[in-house]
Amino acid sequence: MLLSAIGILLLAFTVLDALLTILDASGRSLFSTKAYRCFWWIWRHLAKLLPDPVAQRALSLAAPLMIALMISLWIAGVVTGFALIFYGGMSVGDLIEGGGSQPSLPAAFRLSWVTLSTIGFVEISPSNMMYSVAVALEALLGSVVLTFSITYFLSVHRSILEYDRLVADLHHRMGGDQSAMASVADLLSRNDVAGLQSLLERLHDGVIGLHQGLSRYPIVYFYRPRSLDRSLPRTLEVLGTLADTLTYCHPGLPQSLPALRALKNGMMDLVSDLSDAYVPVHEVGTAAPVSLADFEAAAKGADWTAPASVRRFLKNCRTASAFTDREFDPSQSYRDYLGWLPAYRRTEAFVAAVAHDLGYEENLRPRRSSYLLGVLSRGPKQGPQFLEYRKADR
């Protein structure tokens, strides 16, 4: 009876995880998310033993393999659960195996697998009402699990296609220099308010789809294109740069472009929710912004040692200045810079954490066996790895 009780608990645990993973809109699960993280930890560290080009290709296979792994775990859980139920209550005559030999665990697994796959009985079949009901329930549950598995695959595939569409739209608009502001430079130069509003609405819809896909199906996070230009961290960086630059370089734009406010709020929600779910970032230290005098010198091109963040802010703002034809006011631009810098740092911290977690900014050269032994001795993290990001006005 103990084995039967264990089988019932295992069966309930597996079915509930499958239902939550596939149907729950918030992406909750009992063990699927932990299985993704554990598999990624193993796969990522094994990739370090390969040459870099091969390692990048191997890491891009992680998400497809996770889908197969998860479906296999669900099927294995159902088969094992029913096998333990069958075996735990067996006595002579409960199962008929060939010439009536004693029941065994392999026989129980064989009956469970044959029932789940609905192949039909051969030399093993139930001989009482309790087992007949259990067999019928497993056949029905097997069909449900297989159907849910197909639904899960199609839903994840649809979320990935929506993400690819957003990435392709941004990639084509940025052109050869891959600058975030290049995606809107043409609209800004022509003062095309309607065109910019339409583009921002489309990007906001893409952010919503990306947010929902990552929240509902955590496996989408591990979908990893080999090219950094089309990766999740690069996409988040481009969207964050667009939202922050257009919001803070010209504070009047959000009032004239409702889609810009929506895009900004959508990015804030995305970074906040996903940083808790995937790669929490602990910010350490505070880097004071540059002084007004240093900012003015950088704006005039007289200070070549200005931090990279100041130069980036000024470059992006000059691109956006064509939209409003506003003359450069050092004092006002400096106030805009003070508002932009915290948002820029939050986005930069999250993007850096995601890029590191997905292996884009990591040395993937072959390592010695001692490295692998050290990794295995530490074991995988139970949850997302906390990355410490030190604020630095680079």
Side-chain angles (χ1 to χ4, degrees), residues 184-245:
V184 296
D186 181 61
L187 296 173
L188 293 174
S189 63
R190 293 187 285 108
N191 291 335
D192 189 352
V193 180
L196 185 59
Q197 173 73 12
S198 176
L199 173 61
L200 293 176
E201 288 177 352
R202 189 161 63 250
L203 293 179
H204 178 242
D205 290 340
V207 169
I208 292 176
L210 178 61
H211 194 170
Q212 290 179 344
L214 289 168
S215 299
R216 185 164 188 175
Y217 304 109
I219 196 172
V220 176
Y221 171 77
F222 299 100
Y223 170 66
R224 185 187 182 282
R226 283 180 285 176
S227 173
L228 179 60
D229 292 338
R230 295 176 177 266
S231 65
L232 177 62
R234 175 58 177 163
T235 301
L236 294 174
E237 180 184 9
V238 171
L239 292 172
T241 299
L242 282 174
D244 293 340
T245 300

Side-chain angles (χ1 to χ4, degrees), residues 55 83 86 95 117 147 153 244 277 321 332 363 390:
F86 294 152
L95 293 180
S117 59
T147 302
F153 170 76
D244 293 340
S321 62
Q332 180 60 48
N363 187 5
R390 184 174 298 276

Side-chain angles (χ1 to χ4, degrees), residues 57-178:
R57 287 194 292 270
L59 289 175
S60 66
L61 296 175
L65 291 177
M66 286 180 189
I67 296 178
L69 170 69
M70 208 63 256
I71 294 176
S72 299
L73 287 177
W74 290 336
I75 294 176
V78 173
V79 170
T80 304
F82 272 105
L84 293 177
I85 292 173
F86 294 152
Y87 181 75
M90 280 183 182
S91 60
V92 177
D94 283 337
L95 293 180
I96 300 175
E97 182 186 11
S101 60
Q102 290 291 333
S104 63
L105 191 59
F109 269 97
R110 186 174 182 183
L111 174 61
S112 180
W113 174 253
V114 168
T115 303
L116 182 73
S117 59
T118 65
I119 295 176
F121 303 117
V122 185
E123 71 276 10
I124 305 176
S125 61
S127 63
N128 60 23
M129 180 60 67
M130 182 182 70
Y131 278 122
S132 298
V133 172
V135 164
L137 180 61
E138 183 179 11
L140 178 62
L141 190 59
S143 299
V144 172
V145 170
L146 292 175
T147 302
F148 273 18
S149 299
I150 297 173
T151 303
Y152 178 66
F153 170 76
L154 294 177
S155 299
V156 171
H157 187 256
R158 183 170 58 251
S159 296
I160 291 176
L161 288 180
E162 292 177 356
Y163 166 71
D164 281 339
R165 183 180 180 86
L166 172 64
V167 171
D169 189 10
L170 287 173
H171 184 74
H172 295 160
R173 288 182 176 277
M174 287 188 296
D177 60 356
Q178 292 298 301

